Amino acid sequence: MTDVLRRGRASLAFSFFAQGAAFALLVTRIPAIQDRYGVSDALLPAFLAAVPILAGVGSVSTEQLVKRIPPSRVLRWAQPVVLLALLGVGAGDSVVELGVSLAAFGLAVGALDASMNMLGVSLQRAYGRSIMLSFHAVFSLGGIVGASLAWVGAHWHLALWVSYLPVVLVLLPAALVGSRWYVDAADGSGAEAEDEKAGGGGQGLAFKLLLPLCLVMCFAYIGDSTVSNWSAKYLQDVLGSSEQLATVPYNVYMVTTLVGRAIGDLGVRRFGAVAVVRCGALVAAVGFAVVAVAPGPWVGMLGFTLLGLGLCVLVPQTFAAAGRLFPGASDAAVARLNVFNYVGFLVGSPLVGALGDLWSYRGAMLVPMVLVLVTLVYARSFETQPDRYGGGHERPRTADVGRGSNGL
């Protein structure tokens, strides 16, 4: 059984890595995609907004799919679709083909994100200790690799399909082979059904209990999208940096996100999820404050570094908390929670841009700061829920790992 868990964890970690690389390759080459297809500045936001909207649809659909098939099967086929859609974005010739590829990418990403985190939550429960941050750390590593490959493609003026094809040829077969070892949770029966009843199996009650975590997820992604969309412009236009230096904050943010997630599970095991989430929210709020008052680019860089260290723990711990809160219905909880990932992504960038135009970009940075601080109000939602044996800690449940996706 230990070998099953280890193989399941390694194969799932590779899926997180592949997804991080694919997503970074898409978002970092948006200007090149716009040039290739002749998409106007007025039309570009519609294309960009369609991806997270369709991803939300894909996440909701996954909640229904996993009632009939295991999450591992959803993930096994969603990941190749994401990679092939990425290649389609780079190889198309018309705006219609771009739209079809982005639509497929968005729907598949929603199913992929939901199913990956479903499997991560169930594996963490089986391990009996915090491992969720390690999966998201690998996602960050994939993002860094993808962004670096995108830089190489841009530097050498490679066609988009030339940049994407080698990545897809490597990642797609590796993901398919690795999918043999995904580990699903057992069906929610017996002891699990009792947990579901205790954890709020009713639809209305479930959403009421899940809502604080949904808000935390949304606020975290508002903060994340603020950094990804506005850090370069803020450093250059507000803090007076050079164009070259303005590209550094997001890279620093990604690296500190990786570092924070790599060590975050140790913090959760030592101090508990509530303490880690509170610390992350406070560090992120300080980061936004430093960015808002920074007198120059180097202090602003410090602020974005703090943002990476603070925000990085919130999303993985929110998924983990949903799994603890609804141990017998964690798949549904993760799917619904994942929708707020895309809500935050959609809201964050336009919100900061509108406030920057109407007020000031320094003032706009205070809004995500306040939203991240609201996380402190909901920190108790991250407590480990006492199980029916009266304990307050996660424990291995052999029923959760009764089978792998290939019958192990």
Side-chain angles (χ1 to χ4, degrees):
M1 189 63 68
T2 299
D3 289 340
V4 170
L5 290 177
R6 287 175 178 170
R7 288 197 299 267
R9 183 177 181 181
S11 60
L12 184 60
F14 182 79
S15 289
F16 272 89
F17 174 85
Q19 168 60 353
F23 190 76
L25 281 166
L26 178 71
V27 298
T28 56
R29 298 305 307 275
I30 286 174
I33 294 170
Q34 184 179 10
D35 290 342
R36 175 179 177 82
Y37 292 95
V39 178
S40 66
D41 290 339
L43 188 58
L44 181 63
F47 278 93
L48 298 181
V51 174
I53 290 172
L54 289 171
V57 174
S59 185
V60 172
S61 300
T62 301
E63 179 185 347
Q64 303 304 315
L65 279 174
V66 297
K67 295 176 181 178
R68 299 169 178 81
I69 60 176
S72 63
R73 195 175 303 172
V74 177
L75 177 55
R76 177 181 296 160
W77 296 112
Q79 193 140 55
V81 173
V82 168
L83 293 170
L84 291 173
L86 175 69
L87 186 59
V89 169
D93 292 319
S94 67
V95 173
V96 173
E97 291 174 340
L98 173 64
V100 170
S101 296
L102 288 177
F105 187 92
L107 287 169
V109 158
L112 179 64
D113 286 346
S115 57
M116 279 198 312
N117 284 290
M118 288 173 186
L119 293 179
V121 166
S122 64
L123 267 176
Q124 174 165 288
R125 187 183 303 133
Y127 263 78
R129 65 177 187 270
S130 178
I131 61 171
M132 198 67 184
L133 277 155
S134 67
F135 293 125
H136 287 259
V138 177
F139 176 89
S140 297
L141 178 61
I144 293 170
V145 171
S148 300
L149 292 173
W151 181 88
V152 170
H155 180 73
W156 290 101
H157 304 289
L158 300 177
L160 282 171
W161 73 269
V162 175
S163 296
Y164 291 164
L165 182 60
V167 177
V168 173
L169 289 178
V170 171
L171 294 182
L172 195 153
L176 285 174
V177 171
S179 69
R180 296 176 55 218
W181 295 291
Y182 293 150
V183 177
D184 287 298
D187 293 332
S189 58
E192 294 296 306
E194 293 178 23
D195 281 338
E196 182 175 359
K197 183 177 179 181
Q203 296 292 329
L205 179 61
F207 185 74
K208 181 179 179 181
L209 292 175
L210 190 63
L211 183 57
L213 297 178
C214 293
L215 294 174
V216 172
M217 178 71 78
C218 181
F219 297 158
Y221 269 99
I222 287 174
D224 180 83
S225 66
T226 298
V227 178
S228 60
N229 288 287
W230 293 103
S231 58
K233 180 178 177 61
Y234 187 88
L235 214 72
Q236 186 172 354
D237 293 354
V238 178
L239 301 184
S241 77
S242 65
E243 182 177 357
Q244 185 175 9
L245 185 61
T247 65
V248 175
Y250 186 66
N251 290 330
V252 171
Y253 174 77
M254 290 295 294
V255 171
T256 52
T257 295
L258 171 62
V259 172
R261 288 173 171 173
I263 64 176
D265 283 320
L266 296 176
V268 173
R269 296 169 198 166
R270 177 67 178 84
F271 302 106
V274 174
V276 169
V277 167
R278 283 175 173 165
C279 181
L282 287 172
V283 171
V286 170
F288 276 118
V290 170
V291 169
V293 302
W298 291 105
V299 177
M301 203 89 70
L302 172 62
F304 287 114
T305 301
L306 292 173
L307 282 171
L309 291 173
L311 291 174
C312 70
V313 302
L314 299 183
V315 171
Q317 282 307 301
T318 305
F319 280 122
R324 288 192 298 267
L325 191 61
F326 303 99
S330 61
D331 288 350
V334 167
R336 296 180 197 182
L337 184 61
N338 189 54
V339 173
F340 287 82
N341 161 350
Y342 310 117
V343 173
F345 191 83
L346 272 173
V347 169
S349 180
L351 176 65
V352 171
L355 289 172
D357 290 337
L358 294 173
W359 181 20
S360 73
Y361 282 100
R362 287 186 184 273
M365 291 294 165
L366 298 177
V367 175
M369 180 193 77
V370 172
L371 293 177
V372 168
L373 283 174
V374 174
T375 298
L376 299 175
V377 177
Y378 301 121
R380 303 302 293 182
S381 298
F382 291 82
E383 277 189 321
T384 301
Q385 298 297 308
D387 59 35
R388 62 181 176 281
Y389 294 99
H393 301 283
E394 293 178 283
R395 57 185 174 81
R397 302 184 182 196
T398 54
D400 285 338
V401 289
R403 68 176 192 278
S405 64
N406 61 339
L408 292 174

